[in-house]
Amino acid sequence: MSSGDEAPQPKPTGAKPAMSRFLRTEGSDSGDSDSSSDEDSDSDGDGSNTADSDADEDEDKQGVRIMSAQEKRLAEMEATGKAMENALRINDWIAISNEFDKLARMIQRQHNVSEPIPPFYIKTLLSLESSLTSAIAKEKEAKKKMNATNAKALNSMKQKVRKAIKEYEQDITKYQADPEGFERDYAALVTREAPPVTGGRPTVAADGDDDDGDFRSVGRGGKTMLFTAEGIFKNLQAVQEARGKKNTDRGEQIRILEKLLEVAVTSYQRIRVLLALISSRFDYNSSASSHMPTELWLSAQNEVDQLIAIVASNPSYTIQELTEDYDDLSERSPATEKDGIVRIRGSIISFIDRLDDEFTRSLQNIDPHGTEYVDRLKDEKTLYCTICRAQAFYEQTKQDDPLSRVIMRRLEHIYSKPDAVVQALESAADAAEIKSAITLSSKSSTSGLIHSLCVYLYKSGNSLHRTRAMLSHIYHFALLNDFHTARDMMLMSHLQESIHSADVATQILYNRTVVQLGLCAFRSGLIKEAQATLQDIFTTQRVKELLAQGVHQQRFQVLTPEQEKAEKQRQLPFHMHINTELLEAAFLVSSMLVEIPLLASIDSEESKRKAISKPFRRLLDFADRQVFTGPPESTRDHIMQASKALQDGEWEKCRDLIQSIKIWSLMPEASSVKEMLAKRIQEQGLRTYLFTYAPHYSTLSLSLLAQTFSLPLRSVSSIVSKMIWSEELSASLDQAGGFIIFHRTEVSRQQQLALTIAEKVNALAEQNEKALDAKMGSSGGWGDRGDGKAGEKRGEQVQERRGRGDRTRGGARGTRGRGARFAQGLGNQMGHTSQRVG
């Protein structure tokens, strides 16, 4: 551990003094050193007391001197410089390049422990620059060129030295202006930073003995780090260079940045440290499958608020993703900039996005049935305030692109929530005194706030933002039971034609919107529209997967780990789920009210096989095959037994079974929904009865029907008139007498054969159309738009053929038929385009 630069002392005569195994005297010659090396190597486990006592004796007798860590590093640098000088004499640029790389690593270690640049390194750079210049000039004039490897190393050294001189330009300028002063400053810094040594052991000053009041941290290997406002940028650079490297202690980096934030003085320093600190918190957990710890998330959210507050109160400082290059190691202020605005490289909106994503990920990984999930969900209020604060800042600075992104984030937090929850979030933002242009005032409603946010995105957002805003707007109208507005917006947007090309998250939002639209129609009593809307989702038998509420498990398919991870990452938090059991109950009840009268009206078995709702028909066929039917247990059992009762004309039993389903309590205004279902069951029971027993009557009293189904006489007359008008019932209505007169037409053998031939020709024409669609699909025909478009086209042709018959019976009826087709054809208009995810 002794220095090799000092002159050897004369060897003492007489008895050799006792030497410590850890210390060597400067007076010992090389022979003594070599002879004692073997003994020293075996002395690692000796006690420190013996070493201290020996050190004290030797210090008094022979002047023992212990090298500090700084002196060791400087000695290593000088040895490297010596090797470079020797290689320079023989023009060996390969060796010079290797030694220079070693020297650069040593200087980097100086940076890591916040030590100043030694004058020796500045001298070396200047000497190398002049040597390179002369070597390149000689190489151009020389007749015999150096070998290719050495020439390549020469060019490489030229680039390295040029880069190093540019990096330490300020230090080189100071050295060239006053070399002696530069060395004095370095010596003073080294003397001030080096701890005093007593008895071979460094001492640390007590808390009250530090005159400067600077915080000192001891890192790995005993390296001392000094945190001051002057050295804040060098410490920042050291942290940034260590970021992402192997064996980097991320927790230690966060603690260092927290200390730097405490000593930061100017706004520029605080902004730079906050940008690095927030990024380090997000990097703490590198695993994509797990979520960010709640404590780190709360700290990052608080620091994002601080960052926004600083740049909002100082308009002369701005944070942009793209800026011109600037010196990271120097202080900047509005006075030093050309236009008076300091532009700092960074992105606040990316921090907002990451905060929101980490919040969602944490909810995905927490058990939704425990108290921890509820406690975590309370943090949404603070996150919403941060989003509103960022929106107000971007409105103030008029940055359109990040403003659209933050408004989209705000909309995603409120579009699916009830009014009471949205008002609570807005009250928290008002309490934080956040003044944004779009807010929930006392006079406006939640719908007004969502309308304002969506309108801004319609005007200023990109195509993705406009699509998601439109779907969110439709979803909100469906929540408010405004079915016709939501349906018209869906049809006018034509999203069903282009949603297949959108990203997975947007397709999930589309499926959720379609499902909510169907529930809205069901709550509003529009049974046919509800059945047609929910039909597309339930036909796939992948409801949970389409709504991102579960992973679809197939019998003979196993997901790879990457697929399983992607599926879990796109799952929605539990509080955003739509109850699939309630959804299934609404779909099956709607299918029952549509299918049962249809089954009663069909005579031939071939026509009965053509179902409107295949999932419902499959369940009904399975229930018919059961030998013994017990009391209903599940929701499906209730609906299947109610369907059988409705087929038999027992509408009261059907009503009681449907109303006894417990899942209706989860639907808003459950009592009004049950009353609506009872009324629809009475009406469809009447239709089913007339379809079933019409062949057995010649006349039927309206008052008897009204009494049997507990309906007003006016309602019975309306239902019967509609059935006669739509040619569902071959009869006439005698309103004066109050009865129905049924007409029977005996079909001859020739007519039966003609009807059979017509049905077969129609089936053949449909098969030809399907073949044509499949063939034209690859060349830009209807197939490119999906089966829904082809079905819609065929449906229009059928309706056109029927319309010709309508027009022969009068123009007024044809007009009414078109209006009815528009209202009832929601399934065809939407094109059967519910998207499958995955």
Side-chain angles (χ1 to χ4, degrees):
M1 295 175 64
S2 61
S3 172
D5 296 338
E6 297 178 2
Q9 305 235 351
K11 193 172 183 178
T13 57
K16 185 185 296 184
M19 291 180 61
S20 170
R21 295 186 179 217
F22 298 101
L23 306 175
R24 296 180 184 177
T25 60
E26 291 178 339
S28 61
D29 58 6
S30 60
D32 294 332
S33 300
D34 295 334
S35 64
S36 62
S37 61
D38 294 335
E39 297 178 1
D40 292 340
S41 63
D42 297 329
S43 63
D44 293 340
D46 290 348
S48 59
N49 295 332
T50 306
D52 291 344
S53 61
D54 292 342
D56 292 340
E57 293 176 5
D58 293 343
E59 186 178 4
D60 295 338
K61 294 182 180 179
Q62 298 195 8
V64 174
R65 182 177 176 277
I66 299 173
M67 292 181 66
S68 66
Q70 290 177 344
E71 292 173 331
K72 284 183 182 179
R73 285 191 287 272
L74 189 59
E76 291 176 3
M77 291 182 197
E78 290 175 352
T80 305
K82 208 78 156 172
M84 291 172 67
E85 289 180 5
N86 295 334
L88 191 61
R89 291 192 183 98
I90 60 175
N91 206 26
D92 185 1
W93 290 99
I94 300 174
I96 294 172
S97 179
N98 294 333
E99 294 296 327
F100 185 78
D101 291 340
K102 188 192 298 186
L103 183 61
R105 288 194 293 271
M106 294 177 187
I107 293 298
Q108 184 59 45
R109 271 185 278 162
Q110 295 280 98
H111 277 304
N112 294 340
V113 295
S114 301
E115 290 184 0
I117 301 299
F120 163 77
Y121 183 65
I122 304 298
K123 294 178 188 176
T124 304
L125 285 179
L126 295 175
S127 174
L128 277 174
E129 186 182 22
S130 60
S131 301
L132 280 167
T133 305
S134 60
I136 292 172
K138 290 178 181 178
E139 180 66 15
K140 288 180 180 179
E141 298 174 358
K143 294 181 180 180
K144 186 179 180 181
K145 303 292 184 180
M146 65 176 67
N147 60 53
T149 308
N150 205 20
K152 186 176 180 181
L154 175 64
N155 293 328
S156 175
M157 273 301 300
K158 180 181 177 182
Q159 300 295 330
K160 291 177 184 178
V161 171
R162 183 183 299 174
K163 181 179 178 181
I165 289 176
K166 185 178 180 180
E167 184 177 358
Y168 300 101
E169 186 176 0
Q170 293 182 352
D171 295 324
I172 292 173
T173 305
K174 291 179 183 178
Y175 178 82
Q176 289 176 339
D178 186 7
E180 295 180 358
F182 188 87
E183 293 183 358
R184 280 197 306 270
D185 294 340
Y186 172 76
L189 283 172
V190 169
T191 305
R192 183 171 66 88
E193 292 183 5
V197 178
T198 57
R201 185 176 299 173
T203 61
V204 181
D207 293 340
D209 297 338
D210 193 357
D211 297 334
D212 296 336
D214 297 329
F215 180 86
R216 295 190 181 190
S217 173
V218 178
R220 288 186 176 182
K223 296 175 182 178
T224 305
M225 299 188 70
L226 182 64
F227 298 123
T228 60
E230 292 77 16
I232 197 168
F233 297 120
K234 289 186 177 180
N235 290 326
L236 265 180
Q237 187 182 35
V239 170
Q240 293 290 348
E241 289 175 352
R243 181 182 178 187
K245 291 184 178 179
K246 245 184 176 182
N247 301 324
T248 299
D249 188 352
R250 295 188 177 95
E252 180 65 25
Q253 281 193 318
I254 291 174
R255 287 189 289 271
I256 291 172
L257 290 170
E258 286 174 346
K259 293 298 179 182
L260 291 178
L261 184 60
E262 292 177 5
V263 301
V265 178
T266 64
S267 298
Y268 179 72
Q269 291 177 350
R270 294 178 63 196
I271 291 172
R272 288 282 307 279
V273 175
L274 281 171
L275 288 171
L277 179 56
I278 297 169
S279 300
S280 297
R281 291 197 191 279
F282 286 135
D283 291 345
Y284 182 79
N285 189 12
S286 60
S287 175
S289 58
S290 60
H291 63 282
M292 186 177 180
T294 305
E295 295 77 12
L296 279 180
W297 187 91
L298 290 172
S299 300
Q301 183 265 333
N302 185 30
E303 285 151 4
V304 170
D305 286 346
Q306 293 181 35
L307 184 61
I308 296 173
I310 292 173
V311 294
S313 59
N314 296 290
S316 54
Y317 292 91
T318 179
I319 300 175
Q320 298 177 357
E321 295 183 9
L322 298 176
T323 61
E324 296 180 357
D325 292 337
Y326 55 85
D327 188 3
D328 290 333
L329 298 176
S330 62
E331 176 71 31
R332 299 169 65 202
S333 65
T336 60
E337 301 298 319
K338 295 179 180 179
D339 52 358
I341 297 177
V342 180
R343 293 175 175 83
I344 307 168
R345 193 176 298 110
S347 176
I348 294 178
I349 186 61
S350 63
F351 292 154
I352 299 291
D353 291 342
R354 188 69 185 275
L355 274 177
D356 200 4
D357 294 340
E358 290 292 345
F359 177 75
T360 303
R361 189 179 297 171
S362 66
L363 292 175
Q364 290 172 346
N365 288 273
I366 297 174
D367 180 16
H369 305 292
T371 57
E372 185 183 359
Y373 187 89
V374 179
D375 294 338
R376 183 67 176 124
L377 197 56
K378 294 177 182 177
D379 295 330
E380 186 176 14
K381 187 180 293 184
T382 58
L383 175 60
Y384 187 77
C385 292
T386 301
I387 292 173
C388 293
R389 187 174 286 109
Q391 178 186 340
F393 166 69
Y394 285 125
E395 288 173 351
Q396 176 186 348
T397 55
K398 298 180 180 179
Q399 302 182 42
D400 294 334
D401 181 59
L403 180 58
S404 298
R405 290 169 63 183
V406 79
I407 286 180
M408 190 69 247
R409 290 282 178 176
R410 182 180 180 184
L411 180 62
E412 288 174 348
H413 277 275
I414 62 175
Y415 80 94
S416 61
K417 290 183 171 56
D419 288 351
V421 179
V422 178
Q423 289 173 1
L425 292 175
E426 287 293 322
S427 299
D430 292 338
E433 298 182 355
I434 300 171
K435 304 297 182 183
S436 62
I438 305 175
T439 185
L440 181 64
S441 61
S442 57
K443 296 181 181 180
S444 62
S445 62
T446 304
S447 300
L449 172 63
I450 292 178
H451 177 77
S452 301
L453 295 173
C454 291
V455 166
Y456 180 86
L457 292 174
Y458 297 154
K459 294 179 179 179
S460 305
N462 54 31
S463 60
L464 177 62
H465 290 163
R466 285 195 293 271
T467 300
R468 294 186 65 85
M470 176 66 73
L471 292 172
S472 302
H473 210 172
I474 296 170
Y475 191 102
H476 183 71
F477 277 121
L479 276 183
L480 299 179
N481 293 333
D482 192 353
F483 172 75
H484 294 93
T485 303
R487 181 200 60 183
D488 293 345
M489 288 181 66
M490 178 68 80
L491 294 178
M492 289 187 294
S493 65
H494 297 283
L495 289 175
Q496 59 274 13
E497 299 175 4
S498 59
I499 194 63
H500 62 276
S501 61
D503 61 301
V504 175
T506 306
Q507 291 184 25
I508 291 171
L509 179 57
Y510 175 82
N511 294 332
R512 283 168 51 81
T513 304
V514 170
V515 163
Q516 196 59 245
L517 191 60
L519 286 176
C520 172
F522 182 80
R523 292 192 299 265
S524 303
L526 304 171
I527 299 300
K528 288 185 179 180
E529 288 80 353
Q531 194 274 337
T533 307
L534 297 176
Q535 170 79 17
D536 303 325
I537 293 287
F538 278 90
T539 303
T540 63
Q541 299 181 0
R542 301 167 63 187
V543 179
K544 287 188 175 181
E545 183 185 4
L546 293 179
L547 299 178
Q549 296 176 189
V551 180
H552 179 69
Q553 296 291 343
Q554 294 185 1
R555 183 176 298 177
F556 302 108
Q557 181 181 7
V558 179
L559 296 177
T560 63
E562 292 78 11
Q563 291 175 333
E564 187 175 359
K565 184 185 296 184
E567 287 282 351
K568 288 182 178 179
Q569 286 179 355
R570 66 169 63 107
Q571 299 301 302
L572 291 174
F574 182 76
H575 70 282
M576 295 182 67
H577 285 193
I578 299 173
N579 193 299
T580 53
E581 187 179 354
L582 177 63
L583 199 61
E584 185 182 33
F587 170 68
L588 291 179
V589 170
S590 300
S591 299
M592 177 192 74
L593 295 174
V594 172
E595 282 276 359
I596 297 302
L598 180 65
L599 283 172
S601 66
I602 296 175
D603 295 332
S604 63
E605 290 297 326
E606 184 180 355
S607 300
K608 285 184 178 180
R609 286 196 293 268
K610 296 179 180 179
I612 294 177
S613 174
K614 289 184 180 179
F616 174 80
R617 188 70 69 86
R618 188 166 50 248
L619 291 173
L620 187 61
D621 293 341
F622 179 77
D624 288 338
R625 291 194 299 268
Q626 296 297 316
V627 178
F628 173 76
T629 304
E633 297 179 357
S634 64
T635 302
R636 289 183 179 182
D637 292 342
H638 280 82
I639 297 173
M640 290 304 106
Q641 292 191 19
S643 301
K644 288 184 176 181
L646 190 60
Q647 279 182 320
D648 297 337
E650 300 176 0
W651 68 271
E652 292 177 339
K653 182 181 178 181
C654 174
R655 179 198 61 192
D656 295 339
L657 284 168
I658 294 298
Q659 289 186 343
S660 63
I661 297 175
K662 296 180 180 179
I663 198 67
W664 300 130
S665 60
L666 299 180
M667 188 172 284
E669 303 175 358
S671 59
S672 62
V673 171
K674 289 181 179 180
E675 292 176 4
M676 179 272 297
L677 288 176
K679 184 179 179 182
R680 293 295 180 270
I681 289 171
Q682 288 173 302
E683 295 173 354
Q684 298 305 320
L686 172 60
R687 284 168 51 82
T688 306
Y689 182 84
L690 290 174
F691 284 135
T692 305
Y693 297 104
H696 306 286
Y697 288 97
S698 59
T699 60
L700 189 58
S701 173
L702 292 177
S703 59
L704 178 62
L705 291 175
Q707 183 180 357
T708 304
F709 292 96
S710 300
L711 284 171
L713 186 61
R714 185 182 183 88
S715 299
V716 173
S717 301
S718 174
I719 293 171
V720 173
S721 300
K722 190 179 294 183
M723 293 174 68
I724 295 173
W725 175 81
S726 60
E727 298 180 359
E728 293 175 338
L729 198 63
S730 178
S732 60
L733 184 63
D734 186 354
Q735 293 183 348
F739 55 85
I740 310 170
I741 303 172
F742 295 97
H743 304 296
R744 289 184 180 85
T745 56
E746 296 295 335
V747 181
S748 64
R749 178 64 178 169
Q750 291 82 359
Q751 290 174 333
Q752 289 180 354
L753 292 174
L755 289 173
T756 304
I757 291 173
E759 289 180 0
K760 290 183 177 180
V761 168
N762 190 23
L764 183 62
E766 288 185 359
Q767 290 179 0
N768 288 338
E769 287 178 1
K770 289 181 181 178
L772 181 63
D773 293 342
K775 185 176 182 180
M776 295 180 64
S778 60
S779 60
W782 296 341
D784 284 348
R785 302 182 183 178
D787 294 338
K789 271 294 189 182
E792 181 183 348
K793 189 71 176 178
R794 290 193 295 271
E796 289 177 357
Q797 293 174 351
V798 173
Q799 295 292 350
E800 181 62 26
R801 289 196 292 270
R802 291 179 182 174
R804 296 193 192 104
D806 291 339
R807 285 193 291 275
T808 60
R809 298 182 183 94
R813 182 173 171 184
T815 305
R816 292 181 62 189
R818 286 194 296 273
R821 289 197 300 275
F822 176 80
Q824 297 173 5
L826 181 62
N828 284 338
Q829 288 287 344
M830 296 179 67
H832 303 286
T833 54
S834 294
Q835 299 301 307
R836 299 181 181 181
V837 180

